[in-house]
């Protein structure tokens, strides 16, 4: 299926689906799916999926997937995207990533109370 949510929304799609959430949203897609979340959002995709999160976002993808996070480049006055493939350069499956100050992927800190 396909799920789309507006600002501050949450979108969830099943196996092979596509989920898109607006600004500050959360998007989750099933195996082989695509998840896109707005600025500050969270995107999670299953195996072979693609997760794209906006500025200050968190991206997670399964085995064979891709994580992408967009950020603002003040020197060029435009948005840029950093992308990595799961299984390469230390990027692990089913692990949440953020960008550090040098625009390198780092494991996202665990939220309080998370296991």
């Amino acid at each position: 299926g396909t799920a789309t949510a507006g600002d501050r929304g949450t979108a969830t799609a099943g196996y092979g689906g596509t989920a898109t959430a607006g600004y500050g949203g959360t998007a989750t897609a099933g195996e082989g799916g695509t998840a896109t979340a707005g600025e500050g959002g969270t995107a999670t995709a299953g195996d072979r999926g693609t997760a794209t999160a906006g500025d200050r976002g968190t991206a997670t993808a399964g085995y064979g997937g891709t994580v992408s996070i967009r950020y603002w480049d003040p020197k060029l006055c435009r948005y840029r995207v950093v992308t990595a493939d799961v299984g390469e350069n230390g990027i692990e499956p089913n692990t949440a990533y953020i960008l550090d100050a040098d625009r390198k992927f780092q494991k996202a800190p665990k939220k309080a109370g998370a296991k």
Side-chain angles (χ1 to χ4, degrees):
T2 299
T4 303
D7 290 350
R8 302 298 221 184
T10 298
T12 303
Y15 177 86
T18 299
T20 304
Y23 176 86
T26 299
T28 304
E31 183 174 330
T34 299
T36 304
E39 182 176 331
T42 299
T44 305
D47 293 351
R48 296 175 308 283
T50 300
T52 304
D55 199 20
R56 296 181 310 279
T58 301
T60 305
Y63 291 95
T66 302
V67 292
S68 300
I69 299 179
R70 185 174 88 156
Y71 71 93
W72 178 255
D73 185 333
K75 291 180 184 176
L76 297 176
C77 294
R78 67 177 181 161
Y79 283 101
R80 299 179 63 100
V81 177
V82 179
T83 301
D85 294 313
V86 173
E88 296 180 7
N89 300 315
I91 301 298
E92 300 173 12
N94 306 312
T95 302
Y97 286 93
I98 59 172
L99 293 180
D100 65 14
D102 295 323
R103 307 300 187 223
K104 305 285 185 205
F105 283 105
Q106 298 294 323
K107 290 183 182 177
K110 301 230 186 243
K111 293 182 181 179
K115 294 183 181 183

